[in-house]
Amino acid sequence: MAFDEQTEELAVRAARGDHQALGELLRDIEPHVLRHCARLLPYRMDAEEACQDVLLAVARNISRFEGRSRFSTWLHIVTANCARTTYRTLKRRSVEQAGELPELRPDPRRVSVIAGSRLDLLEALEALESEKPELAEALVLRDICQLDYNEVAAQLSIPLGTAKSRIHQARKQIRAALGDAYAFRD
């Protein structure tokens, strides 16, 4: 999600309390946020739910945006966190309902390979986050939010070498969990 300077300026104005700028900002970013959520979550309805959560989080927390980084960087993090939270909520709901309903397995003819691989990745990320949250956070910023290494280091307030090391370690663990099916780009 890269935005033009007008959107970045709207974010700064909204952070200062300009409600009109906030409304314009939310309208401006919604399609981008939805696309990003759809890359993370396998089903359109889930992506739409996560998108609404992101927009609500932006509206509630825009005053916390300090402008130290670009708004797009801040929004990437909010989006990734909301999508992962939506996934966890959906997973918890399905576990709770499993006790009430007969076990339903997805029909492989109706679930795409892409959706299945995203679910596998989300599962692997969730496992990594519970074991080593600092590795998961660095990996999400680099490979899902597509920040460069310098931006990851700045966002996490760690040295560049530490950011690279965390990303490398996280990739190794994710590859092991997925059986090398997940290819990372540098």
Side-chain angles (χ1 to χ4, degrees):
M1 278 185 274
F3 297 115
D4 58 18
E5 290 305 314
Q6 180 182 354
T7 303
E8 295 287 336
E9 178 58 32
L10 280 173
V12 169
R13 288 180 24 220
R16 292 183 187 144
D18 183 335
H19 295 293
Q20 182 178 354
L22 177 60
E24 290 177 44
L25 178 67
L26 294 174
R27 280 188 298 281
D28 210 26
I29 66 173
E30 183 176 13
H32 302 284
V33 170
L34 181 57
R35 269 194 307 277
H36 194 70
C37 289
R39 284 186 10 215
L40 294 168
L41 296 164
Y43 301 106
R44 175 90 178 165
M45 284 180 20
D46 299 342
E48 289 171 352
E49 181 178 334
C51 178
Q52 292 304 310
D53 291 344
V54 170
L55 296 176
L56 185 59
V58 168
R60 286 183 175 161
N61 299 309
I62 192 68
S63 63
R64 294 182 186 164
F65 173 64
E66 298 171 353
R68 288 183 289 160
S69 63
R70 295 186 57 81
F71 172 71
S72 57
T73 303
W74 184 80
L75 183 61
H76 274 302
I77 294 163
V78 172
T79 302
N81 288 340
C82 284
R84 288 175 27 217
T85 299
T86 298
Y87 171 73
R88 281 189 211 108
T89 301
L90 294 169
K91 183 179 171 186
R92 188 179 65 248
R93 279 187 212 155
S94 71
V95 168
E96 290 169 356
Q97 290 175 350
E100 302 167 12
L101 301 172
E103 183 176 345
L104 298 174
R105 296 193 182 267
D107 182 349
R109 296 170 296 181
R110 302 190 73 196
V111 176
S112 73
V113 172
I114 293 169
S117 64
R118 279 189 256 175
L119 290 174
D120 292 344
L121 177 59
L122 287 169
E123 288 286 336
L125 275 172
E126 187 175 14
L128 179 62
E129 187 172 35
S130 68
E131 293 174 23
K132 298 183 179 174
E134 69 281 359
L135 297 183
E137 185 175 31
L139 182 73
V140 165
L141 291 174
R142 175 67 183 127
D143 290 338
I144 295 177
C145 296
Q146 300 177 342
L147 301 182
D148 67 34
Y149 289 103
N150 289 320
E151 290 174 311
V152 171
Q155 196 63 44
L156 298 176
S157 301
I158 57 176
L160 178 61
T162 303
K164 287 181 177 182
S165 175
R166 286 181 184 179
I167 292 164
H168 176 74
Q169 291 299 317
R171 286 175 176 169
K172 278 177 41 179
Q173 291 194 20
I174 295 291
R175 276 190 195 109
L178 298 176
D180 292 324
Y182 187 60
F184 295 96
R185 65 167 184 77
D186 284 320

